[in-house]
Amino acid sequence: MPWKAIGIFDSGVGGLTVLKEIVKALPQEDTIYFGDTARVPYGTKSPETVTRYSLEIASFLVKRDIKLLVVACNTASAASLDVLQKKLPIPVIGVIEPGARRAVAVTRSGKVGVIGTAGTIRSSAYAKAIKRLNPEVEVITRACPLFVPLAEEGWTDNEVARLTAHAYLDGLREEGVDTLVLGCTHYPLLKKVIGETVGDGVKLVDSAEETARTVAEILRAKAMTRPSSEQGNHHYYVTDIPAGFIRVGNRFLGGRLGDVYQVSIDGEKG
Amino acid sequence: MPWKAIGIFDSGVGGLTVLKEIVKALPQEDTIYFGDTARVPYGTKSPETVTRYSLEIASFLVKRDIKLLVVACNTASAASLDVLQKKLPIPVIGVIEPGARRAVAVTRSGKVGVIGTAGTIRSSAYAKAIKRLNPEVEVITRACPLFVPLAEEGWTDNEVARLTAHAYLDGLREEGVDTLVLGCTHYPLLKKVIGETVGDGVKLVDSAEETARTVAEILRAKAMTRPSSEQGNHHYYVTDIPAGFIRVGNRFLGGRLGDVYQVSIDGEKG
């Protein structure tokens, strides 16, 4: 069992920020990443549709013998984590719970900001998760639709990124948040600009980092990690032509993306 | 036959700029707009997949008795216009040919710029269409991935839009283009900023306007227009929850979007 891989999926390329943190935390582990690039984005689709897609992908990955599944997609975590945890015989980790837990632990003012895509913010998934942990914490949310295309374009440290960050975030700072959850897997790429915009007084919570920490804790607790002398291998599957995934993925991982395979999962039993 | 509606489809909300110009040119006509919002974007999908989707949508619209079909999507125009024109018993108009024809007519320097999404630019559809009309014209292209999210966010006249336009367009101006094709249905919303960025010396070609002009010409030539005393009705179909389409669509049409219906076309025979 320890020798099996960690499965990670996202609607597209964004979950690679989670993969990157997992590899940093557990370099000895094999990973299999699945990006549903033919059907991206999930944020505009109904929860039922997203759950159907998630089950299809989970089925594909479980057949490839994984020991743990990471739902590295905020929309899929919000829509389908419960169903996946019930249906699968392995641990399933989403990205929302770890970020929410960290935010609750970190805040001193009791005011937490959450930024994400329009879909994630509309779902209130982070607000609900934070309130479940501590109903006293006030959650102030803001959708930042331009951050994803900025990250994919590689404009993460220029004047456009800075102006955009001010337009989205100045209001949050004025409302007195002392903690800001990066509630979208793309946002860690904009961490520097976001941090400079909100200032030192606001602590950033990176869901990708927190998720990787949770994965490492669970595998260690179950004695399911590989020996730390090992060096993991990394495989990538996508559902549409890989060109765009490779280009953007290399930007996300700093040019270290390996081989990417295109597969079809139409009709895969969820 | 004249009393039938004009059918228009796009992968999402962008084609509404084409609808708007058609309504301006032919206010007496009924229209049926189809936005495939569950499967947007098309730009990252293979031509085979886009052609299959286009045939499904065309079949749906033809059953609702249309007299002419407008493919108000650059990706679908590039991938499937030929097939649709062969298969359907009614005229089918794409957005690429009208824009290309106008650019060739307008340029004096013989240097035409084309901007569009990464998918449209990669397909070389405009460059090929322009070269077919006049092989002497030099075509210089530039993908502008941030323009679509800027238009959808409504940031069409702020500092972020201006800086982004300069980053994308200054190079084109320096290369000496005197004509610039807005090769994406979203871009007419950024026309003001784009025009100010490239300056008076560069003539903008709005594919939406040119397509509407072509539609009017064809219907008039076939005596298929309704009497000009009439006032058209406008219906909208989308494949995912309509909320986002309604919000962005009202921005595109200036708040005059009518009722929007969600439909499923899974399994629709193409």
Side-chain angles (χ1 to χ4, degrees), chain A residues 146-179:
Chain A
L146 276 166
F147 280 175
V148 167
L150 280 171
E152 296 204 350
E153 183 73 327
W155 288 14
T156 52
D157 192 21
N158 68 4
E159 199 54 25
V160 172
R162 268 183 289 278
L163 279 173
T164 303
H166 276 291
Y168 286 141
L169 305 176
D170 285 352
L172 286 176
R173 203 179 43 177
E174 283 156 22
E175 295 217 43
V177 309
D178 73 341
T179 306

Side-chain angles (χ1 to χ4, degrees), chain A residues 117 144-154 184 186-187 190 252, chain B residues 146:
Chain A
T117 63
C144 306
L146 276 166
F147 280 175
V148 167
L150 280 171
E152 296 204 350
E153 183 73 327
C184 170
H186 280 73
Y187 294 1
L190 290 156
F252 274 45
Chain B
L146 276 166

Side-chain angles (χ1 to χ4, degrees), chain B residues 199-237:
Chain B
D200 287 341
V202 179
K203 169 94 181 155
L204 301 188
V205 173
D206 178 340
S207 287
E209 270 178 30
E210 301 304 327
T211 303
R213 194 183 311 213
T214 304
V215 169
E217 278 166 13
I218 289 179
L219 289 183
R220 289 206 181 99
K222 294 181 181 263
M224 272 162 50
T225 52
R226 297 173 61 176
S228 58
S229 55
E230 295 291 324
Q231 181 69 36
N233 291 303
H234 309 291
H235 292 94
Y236 305 87
Y237 294 94

Side-chain angles (χ1 to χ4, degrees), chain A residues 49-66:
Chain A
T49 301
V50 171
T51 300
R52 181 159 57 85
Y53 292 175
S54 299
L55 287 167
E56 289 171 4
I57 295 166
S59 163
F60 176 93
L61 287 170
V62 165
K63 280 184 200 148
R64 268 142 202 89
D65 245 7
I66 54 171

Side-chain angles (χ1 to χ4, degrees), chain B residues 147-163:
Chain B
F147 279 175
V148 166
L150 281 170
E152 297 205 347
E153 184 73 329
W155 289 13
T156 52
D157 193 20
N158 69 3
E159 199 52 27
V160 173
R162 269 183 289 278
L163 280 173

Side-chain angles (χ1 to χ4, degrees), chain A residues 37-41 44-46 52 122 145-146 149-150 153 155 159-160 163-164 167-168 240-241 247 266, chain B residues 37-41 44-46 52 122 145-146 149-150 153 155 159-160 163-164 167-168 240-241 247 266:
Chain A
T37 49
R39 302 191 289 200
V40 71
T44 55
K45 298 181 173 70
S46 65
R52 181 159 57 85
R122 201 167 45 239
L146 276 166
L150 280 171
E153 183 73 327
W155 288 14
E159 199 54 25
V160 172
L163 279 173
T164 303
Y168 286 141
D240 208 328
I241 35 172
R247 185 172 42 78
D266 282 354
Chain B
T37 49
R39 303 191 289 201
V40 71
T44 54
K45 297 180 174 71
S46 64
R52 180 158 60 83
R122 202 169 41 240
L146 276 166
L150 281 170
E153 184 73 329
W155 289 13
E159 199 52 27
V160 173
L163 280 173
T164 303
Y168 286 141
D240 209 326
I241 34 171
R247 186 173 41 79
D266 281 354

